[in-house]
Amino acid sequence: MTTPATSRPPRTVVHLRAAVAIGVVCALISAFVLTVPLRGAIDDERAFRAAVACAPGDRGDDCLWTVTARVERTERKKGRRSASFWLYLDQVDGKSSRTRLRGHEAEYPAARPGGRVDVTYWRDQIRYVDFPGERAYTTADPRGDWRLFCAWGLGVGLYGLGFLVVTAWWRRRHHISRRAYSWQYGTPLLGVVFLAGVGALAPWPTGSPGEAFLVAGAAIPVVAAVCAVAVRVVRRGESGDDTVAVTPAFPAEERVFPGVIVGEVPYARADGMLAAGPTGLATTPDPTGAALRREASPALTPVRARPPYRTDPKFPDYGGKALVLECEDEGVPVLVVTDRKHMRWVLGALRRPAGVS
């Protein structure tokens, strides 16, 4: 049986263009993050690690200067995912300041009102606080800030690169399967998501951006090999007849559910509902099935149920659960599309002959 449309539908082209656009945008974002914010974070960390104490009376931006302060009070900020609290200080030079420490107040016994501490500034921000016998770095500590930018850059970049690779692969291999939602396309996309996750996580256990890039790079051939094997497996599983076996259910009373009929017939409707009952099948825009009904022809004969094809006309996918019933009406090809859980009622309403697949 021939379907009502045999050319590639516009939605396929739109999907390809959208995938390419996503890949290009992700690549641009990644390039920016990895060349501007990441480079700035690396430079700040190097400068902070290389900084030395300021000369007496000097409070330059690139040196460390320390001042003694008294803890006025602490304040726990509610609703924050990471444990932290504010430390409010009165410095001996008469200046009041505050800084945020990671952790809980209980971890710093000296962080109590009246306690004496030494606070160290770098580039006009408090970078660490010295309690008696303990140093606590503040949330302004620039060491490790590169990890967040590296994670974003690698994750987004690999995600976009994966979209471009999968799109190029699809353009060359789309003839493998006619299915609109073939696992041969889903498998590479799952690989893309996994690879992006590796890129986003790689900076956290590593000690430098170079090591993070090595981890992400090592994951690429592994993911590619796994996807290649998976594609071969599912390709073999999708070969042959793709007819879906559906047991008809004969409705004792009319049932109304989302569905469409596509074809050159007067009862076709591109959106709305299907009404399946003892008297037959009808299309209607009314969820109750009462208004503007178009009764299907008694000559409408089911041929087989199958998954949606890329070459099908545009119709709802019902959350990826659409099933297509190929039919004929006196030689005219007709498609009845609905959620696979409702297809048994369609077959029952059409009084599907026994033994027809």
Side-chain angles (χ1 to χ4, degrees), residues 161-179:
L161 176 63
F163 260 90
L164 295 176
V165 171
V166 170
T167 301
W169 179 86
W170 191 94
R171 289 179 65 89
R172 295 188 60 183
R173 308 283 288 179
H174 69 273
H175 60 278
I176 291 177
S177 174
R178 293 181 296 172
R179 298 189 185 188

Side-chain angles (χ1 to χ4, degrees), residues 103-114:
H104 296 276
E105 298 93 326
E107 299 176 29
Y108 307 99
R112 60 181 185 274

Side-chain angles (χ1 to χ4, degrees), residues 104-128:
H104 296 276
E105 298 93 326
E107 299 176 29
Y108 307 99
R112 60 181 185 274
R116 292 284 177 173
V117 296
D118 290 328
V119 294
T120 299
Y121 284 82
W122 183 69
R123 294 184 178 176
D124 292 327
Q125 292 189 58
I126 298 176
R127 307 295 176 161
Y128 55 84

Side-chain angles (χ1 to χ4, degrees), residues 269-349:
R269 193 184 297 271
D271 56 8
M273 315 291 288
L274 292 176
T279 60
L281 185 68
T283 59
T284 174
D286 183 6
T288 68
L292 301 175
R293 293 170 64 95
R294 297 178 186 173
E295 302 292 339
S297 169
L300 185 63
T301 305
V303 177
R304 70 174 186 130
R306 61 165 174 79
Y309 289 163
R310 292 179 290 103
T311 52
D312 286 335
K314 185 176 181 179
F315 48 69
D317 66 357
Y318 304 108
K321 298 180 180 180
L323 196 62
V324 178
L325 181 65
E326 293 183 354
C327 303
E328 286 186 351
D329 185 351
E330 298 182 349
V332 178
V334 179
L335 301 181
V336 181
V337 187
T338 186
D339 190 302
R340 63 175 56 243
K341 67 182 179 181
H342 297 138
M343 188 57 74
R344 59 195 184 108
W345 301 112
V346 173
L347 287 171

